[in-house]
Amino acid sequence: MTTLRILTAPVFKPLLQPARYKGAWGGRGSGKSHFFGELLVEDCLYEKGMLAVCIREVQKTLAQSSKRLIEDKIQTLGVGSEFRVFNDKIETPGDGIIIFQGMQDHTSESIKSLEGFKRAWIEEAQTLSARSLSLLRPTIRAEGSEIWASWNPRRKSDAIDEFLRGSGKPENAIVVQANWRDNPWFTSVLEEERKLDLQKYPERYDHIWEGGYARAFEGAYFARQIAEARAQGRIGKGVIPQDPLLPLKIFVDIGGAGAKADAMSLWVTQWVGPQIRVLDYIEGIGQPLEFYVNELRTRKYERAIIQLPHDGTNSNAITGKRYVDHWREAGFDCPEPIPNQGAGAANMRIEAVRRVFPFCWFSETPAVEGGLDALGYYHEKKDEQRNIGLGPEHDWSSHAADSFGLMAVCYEAPYAPAAHVPYARSRRSGGGSWQSV
């Protein structure tokens, strides 16, 4: 019998025990992926015929998977004769297999192909959608099966964070935090990179190296404005009360009802004098319009004014009615959507947000904080080869930014009558009258 000796960082020792869910979260250089790669090879050697799947939310090519890492682990551990590596899979001892898939491509029917699999490793798990997690969990259900996740936290509201780090964490879950200082093999090259980020990019250091939530992305459009608002006490100072005499205004970025549709986002605001009071935030993916109508009624916003962007005049693919008409039929005051601003509309919204941000006060609620996370992450897409900006990146943060940008474009500063400017006067020499000059 051959004994396999695998050196393991102490931080990962709890994950060597059996558990339905195993998670490791933290920043760069912690060795999370290396640990799970070695553990998967070990499990496939220990249990002949093991079926395992390595999952990402989006995987367009195998280059985006952990296949290369696992191949390296097989060779490093000296067990290459036990495995057969193919272009799209790895065969394991006893006719087992390791495959690599993207969850976004799965449906409730296609996911059934993973029934009988005993290991599912979710890489970059911070990007896994709630839909994908809900599909995966009941599918990996063989006796003794385990679901693993490794990730660098992005938002508190990410599905994997809510599931494995939230108050409702499953009892049969083992989760550890691992950062660079927990890695006995942390290299001098990585140490130089860490110190460089700490010196030059302090705003992103905590997220990249310490596993903190992403507050701002490099090139984020509103990072400075959010930092100033926090410093000035306009964020995180309690729940802002509503003025019962003034209307609520809700600004919407329209999503869709399909499983792969864009997110729909709604900012609930109230304009009080020069202040823009940001009271609430709502976001959803794949939900029908009725969901948002009921959500607004539940939160007692049924008297709010709903402002839609230009595509509010589009017809719903199912009913054939315009979105603006649906909102009106639901009993909301919904004026005509803002006209299409044409080319450069995104940049117009960005500049409008920067202009009005000094007037914004944010209520201290988890929902609003989630929306702020999106605003802090919203950034420019770049051609790294040419160092050219390509406009706003369309990702999870852009929908919240677009609806907030709509609010900024619509904002009207309160009217202030012009102050009376007294005219100057002088006295004519030799006369008794006054003359204005």
Side-chain angles (χ1 to χ4, degrees), residues 10 91 127 138 148 151 200 312 344:
E91 289 187 355
T127 64
W148 305 343
W151 75 101
K200 297 193 65 174

Side-chain angles (χ1 to χ4, degrees), residues 279-299:
L279 306 177
D280 209 346
Y281 178 71
I282 300 170
E283 181 180 308
I285 297 177
Q287 299 289 348
L289 187 60
E290 290 81 4
F291 169 83
Y292 302 99
V293 169
N294 292 332
E295 190 68 21
L296 293 181
R297 288 173 177 164
T298 300
R299 302 189 192 192

